[in-house]
Amino acid sequence: MADIAPVLKAVVPAAGLGTRFLPATKATPKEMLPIVDKPAIQYVVEEAVDAGLTDVLMVTGRSKRSIEDHFDRAYELEEALRAKGDDERLEAVHESSDLAIMHYVRQGEPRGLGHAVHCARQHVGREPFAVLLGDDMIDARDKLLQRMIEVRGQHGGSVIALMEVEPDQVSAYGCAAIEATDEEDVVRISDLVEKPAAEEAPSNWIIIGRYVCDPAVFDVLEKTPPGRGGEIQLTDALRTLADMPADQGGGVYGVKFRGRRYDTGNKLEYLRTVVQFAAERPDLAPEFLPWLREFVRTQDGVGDTTDS
C-alpha cells in the first residue's frame, strides 16, 4: 500500500438553525448552549485537539458570530479579570482562545451535511481530514477519534464511527451494512442508507457524528445530487466511496464504538448531558448530587399518568 497521508485537519459543521431549541437559539447558536459552564462546541474542538488536530475549520452560517468570538481573545474581559486577580476565570477564558488554530467559512444556505463538508474543500485541499458534528459529544475518556485516525492509517480510505442501537431507533440515523475484518472493532462498509425504515435497515449499526474522510470525498460530493430531505447527504457520498477502488481514495471502514456518547441535538438528551456532566464535576457534585437525589425523591409520581 502506498504511503497514507496523516490526518492533520478537522472540520466542524456548525451552520444549522437549531430550530429544536427555539426560542433560545433565535439569537444564540445552538452550539453555544452551555454544558454547565462551557459551550458544547468547545468540547468538540477539545476532542479534535486531543486527537492531534490543531487546525480546525468551523463551517458556520448567519447569526453564528458568537462562535468566532468565543474562540478569539477577549481583551477587555481578560483585563478586568486580571485587575481583580481572578486567575482561575482568566485561565478559563484563555483556554478557549488558545485551543487551536481556528478558521471559519460560511455555508451560504442550509443544503445538508454533505454541502457543509464540501464548503471545506479550499481549506482542506488534497489532505485527509476529520469531521466532527457538534450535536455529538464523545466522552474525553473514550479515544474514538484517535482510533479512527489509526484505522485510516492502516487501511486508507474513509472511516466512520458506528454505534449499535435498538431497531426502532435506526430511522433517525444513517445506517451501515457491515462486513467483519480481522479486528473486532473494525468493519468494512458495503452499503449506507440514510434514515431507513426499521424493516429496511441493513443492520442496527448507525453512523454517529465522527468521520475521517479521504479528500476524494470532495469530487464525489460535487456530483452528489440532493437526497433525503432535498439535501446533499454525506452518507450518499460515502456510499459511493465504498464502491470505489482504493487507489482512487475509495473504501470505507467503520469503527464500532461502545463508549460514552452524549447527544445534544434535542432537548431531552441535552438536559441529560448537563445533569451527567454536573454530577461528575468535583466542584459541583458534593452539593448537586444530594440536591438531585432529594428532588427526584420528591418528584416520585409527579407526571405519572398511568392508572393506579
Side-chain angles (χ1 to χ4, degrees):
M1 181 183 292
D3 290 341
I4 297 173
V7 182
L8 302 174
K9 294 179 178 178
V11 174
V12 182
L17 298 176
T19 53
R20 291 180 182 177
F21 286 85
L22 287 170
T25 50
K26 179 181 177 181
T28 301
K30 177 186 65 175
E31 296 82 7
M32 290 298 294
L33 295 178
I35 308 300
V36 184
D37 55 5
K38 186 189 297 185
I41 195 69
Q42 183 172 332
Y43 286 100
V44 175
V45 174
E46 287 174 350
E47 181 187 346
V49 172
D50 192 41
L53 312 180
T54 57
D55 183 317
V56 178
L57 175 70
M58 198 81 63
V59 183
T60 66
R62 296 183 62 190
S63 304
K64 301 279 185 169
R65 182 62 183 270
S66 61
I67 296 177
E68 297 183 34
D69 290 342
H70 178 72
F71 291 103
D72 200 357
R73 297 294 298 273
Y75 294 102
E76 291 182 358
L77 175 60
E78 291 171 20
E79 285 303 316
L81 293 171
R82 191 174 289 111
K84 292 169 59 177
D86 194 339
D87 294 336
E88 182 179 350
R89 289 185 175 86
L90 181 60
E91 182 179 353
V93 170
H94 279 161
E95 184 182 15
S96 60
S97 57
D98 295 337
L99 262 179
I101 302 170
M102 301 294 298
H103 308 269
Y104 303 90
V105 64
R106 280 197 174 188
Q107 183 184 17
E109 54 182 316
R111 297 177 56 196
L113 176 58
H115 181 260
V117 170
H118 192 263
C119 289
R121 182 172 197 163
Q122 185 172 0
H123 179 76
V124 170
R126 299 304 300 172
E127 301 178 42
F129 61 102
V131 177
L132 298 88
L133 303 192
D135 284 350
D136 273 332
M137 289 169 49
I138 304 299
D139 196 290
R141 294 164 290 189
D142 298 320
K143 306 302 182 182
L144 171 60
L145 189 56
Q146 287 95 319
R147 177 56 175 152
M148 294 173 67
I149 292 171
E150 181 181 280
V151 171
R152 152 78 191 185
Q154 293 171 339
H155 299 283
S158 298
V159 184
I160 61 177
L162 301 174
M163 179 171 274
E164 193 171 22
V165 298
E166 294 299 321
D168 61 353
Q169 294 180 275
V170 296
S171 61
Y173 300 91
C175 184
I178 59 177
E179 300 171 355
T181 69
D182 293 336
E183 297 176 274
E184 192 275 333
D185 67 328
V186 179
V187 293
R188 186 175 181 90
I189 305 301
S190 58
D191 196 10
L192 294 165
V193 183
E194 182 67 21
K195 298 182 178 178
E199 62 274 11
E200 298 174 357
S203 76
N204 291 351
W205 288 92
I206 60 156
I207 308 168
I208 59 176
R210 297 296 180 269
Y211 309 79
V212 175
C213 295
D214 189 276
V217 74
F218 291 126
D219 288 336
V220 176
L221 282 169
E222 193 168 0
K223 301 173 184 175
T224 299
R228 190 178 183 91
E231 298 181 333
I232 298 173
Q233 301 289 350
L234 181 59
T235 301
D236 292 340
L238 289 167
R239 186 182 190 187
T240 299
L241 284 173
D243 290 331
M244 287 172 52
D247 61 1
Q248 295 179 24
V252 178
Y253 293 84
V255 170
K256 291 181 173 179
F257 180 61
R258 296 184 173 90
R260 290 155 286 199
R261 167 187 176 245
Y262 310 96
D263 181 356
T264 60
N266 67 72
K267 285 177 278 192
L268 180 58
E269 293 300 328
Y270 171 77
L271 289 171
R272 287 173 174 163
T273 299
V274 172
V275 170
Q276 287 179 269
F277 274 60
E280 294 188 2
R281 285 270 296 260
D283 59 329
L284 298 175
E287 292 184 54
F288 178 65
L289 285 175
W291 172 85
L292 183 61
R293 293 188 187 102
E294 178 62 17
F295 178 77
V296 171
R297 186 188 66 79
T298 62
Q299 296 300 301
D300 284 348
V302 174
D304 187 356
T305 59
T306 58
D307 293 333
S308 57

